[in-house]
Amino acid sequence: MIVGATGMGLASAYWDDSWHSTLGRDSALIPPHLLLYASIVAVGVILGLWAMRILRDTRSLNALGRAPGFILAAASAAATAIAAPADAFWHSTFGRDAVLWSPPHLLSVISTTVLLGAMLVSVSDRPWRQLQIGLSAVVLAAAQILVMEYDTDVPQFSETLYLPVALLSLLSAGWVIIRMTGFPFALTTAIVAYILLRAALTAGLTGAGWLAPDLPLALLGLAAVDLLQSLPRLRWLVAASIVAALESLLCNRAQQRADRVDSAVDDGSGGRGSRSCLCGRRQESRCYSDDRSPARVEFCTGHTGAG
């Protein structure tokens, strides 16, 4: 259930990003937000059932506090819940925005990641390999949300921050997965499961006509952590280097595709390249489709259609 609820939250995050990029800012009750709220309620229900089961079996509040991961999970859930009114206060004070790295949004993303890590802790001593794989995959997914604006090519901050933040979050998530799972190639299995999850999400968004991010294939470089067991002190550095190299390679290929699109519209037919380019990655579909909605025009040209 927790994996399914988190999958709903992941889908809502990328759907919400596509909604804002395509249609602009909207109300708090748009479908992606409702899906996010449903995932938060589902997680709350799961935590409540977890607590009730512990109390039923032990009839002790002390046992509830000693349950592996429970206090951390409950605190993280509370922080996630606090992020909603904090976000409303932020918008009422500083105006509406769609910036992922605002303090309330960061609180929500980081607390969600910690919550999932705590859930992984809670099953670390159980022989539930499939659940461990699922939780490990969504821990990676939550960590990757931190750089979602870069992955979807609408960064609001300097592009030089992308790789350091991505590596820090992914290596941290990978370390937790390695520590909390006890079977061989746990991290590699989680990476493959996460990429499959993202592939399904991409197919769903694309099939419904929404913009979708590229698959995070560079994460495959983290498999070096599992492969280099004989180099315990160097394997994380090697893995980070491979991820960075793969990211650079994928970005360069995306740049070449974007350059070909640039050449195709240089005849003055009205197309224009996007303003954002992370390591050369530009999702030309955002600016070369037939959609000329005000939000799309503002994203592609830097000013509204009225100007």
Side-chain angles (χ1 to χ4, degrees):
M1 288 178 62
I2 187 66
V3 175
T6 306
M8 289 169 52
L10 176 67
S12 71
Y14 285 99
W15 186 12
D16 185 57
D17 175 83
S18 180
W19 185 289
H20 289 311
S21 296
T22 305
L23 302 177
R25 300 175 180 87
D26 213 323
S27 74
L29 298 179
I30 59 176
H33 290 179
L34 295 178
L35 183 61
L36 175 61
Y37 305 150
S39 70
I40 294 174
V41 170
V43 170
V45 170
I46 292 168
L47 287 176
L49 293 174
W50 182 11
M52 290 174 60
R53 180 175 180 178
I54 295 173
L55 292 174
R56 183 197 64 189
D57 294 341
T58 65
R59 300 187 182 278
S60 170
L61 289 176
N62 289 333
L64 186 64
R66 291 194 302 268
F70 181 81
I71 294 298
L72 183 59
S76 300
T80 303
I82 291 172
D87 189 51
F89 171 78
W90 180 270
H91 291 317
S92 66
T93 304
F94 300 103
R96 298 176 65 184
D97 62 58
V99 178
L100 178 61
W101 285 1
S102 69
H105 293 168
L106 284 177
L107 175 62
S108 176
V109 172
I110 293 173
S111 59
T112 298
T113 306
V114 174
L115 167 62
L116 294 170
M119 297 296 292
L120 186 57
V121 169
S122 73
V123 299
S124 61
D125 59 346
R126 306 292 182 92
W128 299 339
R129 181 171 296 190
Q130 291 183 340
L131 179 57
Q132 290 180 353
I133 292 171
L135 284 171
S136 297
V138 294
V139 166
L140 284 174
Q144 188 77 359
I145 289 291
L146 272 176
V147 291
M148 180 179 65
E149 288 181 343
Y150 293 90
D151 286 341
T152 56
D153 216 27
V154 286
Q156 306 295 312
F157 295 88
S158 171
E159 294 164 4
T160 59
L161 294 173
Y162 167 71
L163 204 53
V165 173
L167 287 176
L168 178 62
S169 61
L170 291 173
L171 291 176
S172 299
W175 182 84
V176 170
I177 291 168
I178 291 289
R179 294 281 295 180
M180 294 299 112
T181 54
F183 57 91
F185 296 96
L187 181 55
T188 302
T189 306
I191 292 168
V192 173
Y194 170 50
I195 292 177
L196 291 176
L197 176 63
R198 281 284 297 270
L201 175 59
T202 296
L205 287 173
T206 304
W210 295 98
L211 302 172
D214 294 334
L215 293 179
L217 298 179
L219 266 67
L220 292 171
L222 283 180
V225 174
D226 284 332
L227 296 173
L228 300 177
Q229 296 287 341
S230 60
L231 300 173
R233 295 184 178 181
L234 292 178
R235 58 179 181 161
W236 292 98
L237 178 60
V238 172
S241 300
I242 294 174
V243 170
L246 287 174
E247 184 65 36
S248 177
L249 175 63
L250 293 170
C251 285
N252 287 336
R253 291 186 61 183
Q255 177 67 67
Q256 293 173 3
R257 293 197 302 269
D259 288 344
R260 287 196 292 270
V261 174
D262 287 339
S263 299
V265 299
D266 275 345
D267 58 359
S269 58
R272 176 173 175 172
S274 72
R275 296 177 296 163
S276 170
C277 180
L278 169 64
C279 302
R281 173 162 49 193
R282 291 185 294 180
Q283 292 186 3
E284 58 273 9
S285 62
R286 290 177 181 261
C287 295
Y288 297 109
S289 72
D290 292 333
D291 184 354
R292 287 292 177 254
S293 64
R296 182 71 62 88
V297 171
E298 181 178 3
F299 173 82
C300 296
T301 64
H303 55 75
T304 64

